[in-house]
Amino acid sequence: MLKSLAIGAGHAATGHGACGAVGYISESDEARRVRNVVHFFGAQKGVRIVDCTCDSGTQSQVLNTAISIANEGECELAVQVHFNACKMEENDGSQKGCECWIYPGSKAKPYAEKICKALGEMGYRNRGVKESTTLKFLRKTNAPAIIIEVCFVDDKDDTDFYKSHFADLGAGMAISAALFD
């Protein structure tokens, strides 16, 4: 089990700079809610939690601050909570789903797989673990890192499912179970 986790919402707070995608829900608002749930359950399990959320600034400033806080926290794993976006889509009967991003060869892969599996078992479409060498949070954090994309803010099927399954609480509990159990 993890002893320490750096976790943050991946964008500035709504109205305070680069606040992420907006569709049927707001990425900035929901990422903070999910982060709070994971923070709560981690603390209940005795995990040292470092909040690497930055509430204002350009995307570059927010990202650099999050990386700096995560690195200073010297945690075993670093996680950013995000919500994906592509294009506005009404109910078409299919979700776009959840996914996790890691750096190739990262020790975070087992955690990323467990997160995708937990969200998939909850009913989200599991898009799986993807690798990237270009995402700065994955490249620059000292700890193995994961970017979680809970669902698509601009897909009505995704956001309806998210809301109907206790929104932040449901997603946060699934992510917490994957990380802390």
Side-chain angles (χ1 to χ4, degrees), residues 26-177:
S26 161
E27 177 177 17
S28 178
D29 295 343
E30 297 307 318
R32 280 163 172 68
R33 290 181 178 119
V34 171
R35 177 220 44 208
N36 291 346
V37 172
V38 175
H39 186 288
F40 173 81
F41 283 107
Q44 291 296 308
K45 295 270 189 174
V47 177
R48 181 175 60 85
I49 304 291
V50 173
D51 184 354
C52 59
T53 302
C54 178
D55 283 328
S56 65
T58 65
Q59 187 57 34
S60 181
Q61 291 168 328
V62 169
L63 187 55
N64 289 337
T65 299
I67 291 167
S68 177
I69 293 168
N71 288 343
E72 289 170 13
E74 298 181 353
C75 294
E76 294 173 76
L77 186 68
V79 173
Q80 270 197 333
V81 179
H82 285 261
F83 283 70
N84 228 331
C86 183
K87 65 177 181 171
M88 290 300 285
E89 189 170 292
E90 292 292 326
N91 289 342
D92 65 358
S94 70
Q95 293 181 23
K96 287 187 181 132
C98 66
E99 62 193 18
C100 287
W101 287 87
I102 61 169
Y103 195 83
S106 173
K107 293 180 181 178
K109 187 173 184 176
Y111 289 106
E113 289 171 336
K114 286 172 66 176
I115 291 166
C116 285
K117 181 180 178 192
L119 289 169
E121 288 173 352
M122 193 179 162
Y124 289 93
R125 180 175 160 236
N126 181 353
R127 296 166 58 96
V129 177
K130 300 179 181 339
E131 296 181 342
S132 173
T133 59
T134 61
L135 296 170
K136 189 173 184 178
F137 186 78
L138 303 178
R139 287 186 297 114
K140 296 293 184 177
T141 52
N142 295 335
I146 303 170
I147 295 173
I148 303 169
E149 299 280 3
V150 176
C151 69
F152 283 73
V153 301
D154 53 4
D155 184 282
K156 188 86 166 96
D157 295 299
D158 273 19
T159 58
D160 284 352
F161 182 85
Y162 174 76
K163 291 176 190 175
S164 71
H165 287 79
F166 303 107
D168 57 317
L169 181 60
M173 287 175 65
I175 293 166
S176 296

